[in-house]
């Protein structure tokens, strides 16, 4: 294969140090910049050599070389390696797809493919060149013309060949020497500091945090006006308490959770929200058919058919609400319905109390002050 041979001969002269390369389809340059932790105004014209400045920057700063070719964007890093992180890849691929290859000086490496906000393929490409290879990824590679022998011959050339086959971007000396865009992620000296007061939570909420690592991560470093992970946790609590995955259209539920996880919302989610609302209406109608007319619809009884159906109704409404165009409204709607789902078992687990903690965190993050 011509591409494989070219990469085998040229890669050492192009990358004299370890690197992380991320190919993205479906995002604009400005969106890619934000997902790499920067801002559009930090982008300027530059060259490959600018990447080496990253070694002189602070740990949370960095440089990303950006090339746009047709529908695809290629981002290159020598430090930080944000483009290889699963959460970043989910965001980059939310409206398309993303492919990342990263390796260290010790040949610790990862090769990952994501689409529609989900990680589809992730493996160690170095391992494919050894007797401990994983057959499923060798089979996946064959679709791009890469044989087991080529993995053994040069795993980097094999990975680059797959990326070119998928994205159409040739990484060679001409690419290296051309002008690129350069994103410099660095602290601006004149930026206004965060004026929020310290986060305060009651003792009974603090006690919950130790049992829930994802929430503990949010508490340790609360974001500003962004609560995607918190809203996802709310939706997952509702789905789990109602048993949606076990009893309904699993694909629709997973599609909604994936959209929430990647921060997609508003008009682009109208079709999905319509499907969820139709399902919720159907569940409410089914519940109405088995009710006797004396039940408390605001307190579904999980030990009854009507109660189970209403809990599923509210769980689906939690998913739909979370996709609202306004993120705080989305959180509020998801909390409202998730609370109805989890209330019947509030004495049996942490779910209901955890929602109250997430409600307090959301208020602090979106409003800028404590609710207590």
């Amino acid at each position: 294969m011509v591409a494989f041979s070219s990469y085998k001969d040229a890669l050492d002269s192009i990358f004299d140090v370890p690197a992380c390369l991320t190919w993205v389809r479906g995002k604009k340059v400005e969106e890619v910049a934000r997902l790499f932790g920067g801002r559009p105004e930090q982008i300027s014209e530059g060259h490959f050599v600018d990447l080496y400045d990253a070694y002189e920057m602070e740990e949370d700063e960095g440089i990303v070389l950006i090339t746009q070719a047709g529908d695809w964007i290629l981002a290159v890093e020598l430090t930080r390696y944000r483009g290889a992180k699963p959460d970043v890849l989910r965001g980059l691929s939310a409206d398309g797809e993303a492919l990342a290859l990263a390796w260290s000086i010790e040949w610790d490496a990862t090769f990952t493919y994501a689409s529609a906000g989900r990680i589809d393929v992730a493996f160690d490409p170095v391992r494919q060149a050894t007797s401990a290879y994983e057959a499923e990824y060798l089979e996946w590679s064959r679709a791009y013309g890469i044989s087991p022998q080529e993995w053994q011959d040069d795993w980097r050339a094999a990975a680059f060949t797959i990326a070119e086959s998928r994205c159409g971007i040739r990484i060679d000396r001409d690419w290296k020497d051309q002008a690129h865009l350069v994103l410099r992620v660095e602290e601006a000296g004149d930026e206004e500091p965060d004026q929020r007061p310290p986060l305060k939570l009651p003792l009974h909420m603090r006690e919950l945090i130790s049992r829930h690592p994802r929430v503990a991560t949010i508490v340790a470093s609360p974001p500003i006006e962004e609560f995607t992970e918190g809203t996802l946790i709310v939706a997952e609590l509702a789905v789990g308490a109602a048993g949606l995955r076990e009893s309904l259209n699993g694909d629709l539920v997973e599609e909604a959770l994936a959209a929430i996880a990647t921060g997609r919302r508003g008009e682009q989610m109208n079709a999905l929200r319509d499907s969820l609302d139709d399902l919720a209406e159907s569940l409410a109608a089914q519940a109405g058919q088995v009710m006797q007319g004396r039940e408390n619809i605001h307190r579904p009884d999980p030990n009854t058919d009507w109660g189970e159906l209403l809990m599923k109704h509210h769980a689906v409404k939690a998913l739909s609400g979370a996709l609202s165009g306004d993120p705080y409204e989305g959180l509020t709607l998801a909390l409202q319905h998730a609370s109805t789902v989890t209330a019947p078992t509030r004495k049996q687990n942490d779910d209901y109390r955890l929602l109250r903690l997430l409600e307090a965190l959301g208020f602090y993050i979106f409003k800028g002050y404590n609710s207590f």
Side-chain angles (χ1 to χ4, degrees), residues 276-294:
L276 291 167
D277 289 339
D278 288 346
L279 176 57
E281 184 177 339
S282 172
L283 289 164
Q286 293 175 51
Q289 291 173 1
V290 295
M291 293 174 72
Q292 303 300 317
R294 298 184 299 274

Side-chain angles (χ1 to χ4, degrees), residues 190-247:
D190 57 352
E191 263 189 19
E192 293 184 7
D194 181 6
Q195 297 297 320
R196 295 182 301 183
L199 174 65
K200 293 182 179 179
L201 294 171
L203 184 61
H204 69 276
M205 288 187 175
R206 289 281 179 186
E207 183 267 336
L208 277 175
I209 295 170
S210 62
R211 296 197 294 274
H212 300 279
R214 291 168 68 189
V215 177
T217 299
I218 299 171
V219 172
S221 182
I224 299 175
E225 297 184 357
E226 190 281 312
F227 201 45
T228 300
E229 176 70 357
T231 305
L232 176 62
I233 295 172
V234 171
E236 289 174 342
L237 287 172
V239 167
L244 279 190
R245 286 190 174 97
E246 297 78 16
S247 57

Side-chain angles (χ1 to χ4, degrees), residues 15-22 35-37 51 54-55 58-65 75-89 92 99-112 155-156 160 185:
F15 295 100
D16 56 347
V17 293
C20 172
L21 293 90
T22 311
L35 286 163
F36 273 85
L51 278 170
Y55 292 120
E58 298 295 330
E59 184 177 351
D60 58 346
E61 299 177 333
I63 293 178
V64 184
L65 193 77
V76 183
E77 306 166 272
L78 300 186
T79 62
R80 299 198 314 157
Y81 285 20
R82 282 183 61 91
K85 294 181 178 179
D87 286 348
V88 175
L89 281 170
L92 289 169
L99 184 71
L101 171 66
W103 69 94
S104 71
I105 196 169
E106 294 87 9
W107 296 121
D108 291 326
T110 180
F111 196 39
T112 309
W155 65 266
R156 278 197 311 171
F160 271 86
V185 182

Side-chain angles (χ1 to χ4, degrees), residues 1-11 14 144-146 150 154 156-166 168-172:
M1 180 179 286
V2 175
F4 177 85
S5 299
S6 298
Y7 284 121
K8 183 179 177 182
D9 294 339
L11 280 177
I14 299 172
Y144 299 97
I146 294 298
E150 285 168 322
D154 191 313
R156 278 197 311 171
F160 271 86
T161 300
I162 291 173
E164 179 178 328
S165 175
R166 186 77 191 178
I169 301 176
R170 170 62 62 91
I171 310 298
D172 55 15

Side-chain angles (χ1 to χ4, degrees), residues 304-315:
T304 64
D305 290 340
W306 68 265
E308 287 187 357
L309 287 165
L310 274 185
M311 289 172 68
K312 290 177 171 57
H313 160 80
H314 284 289

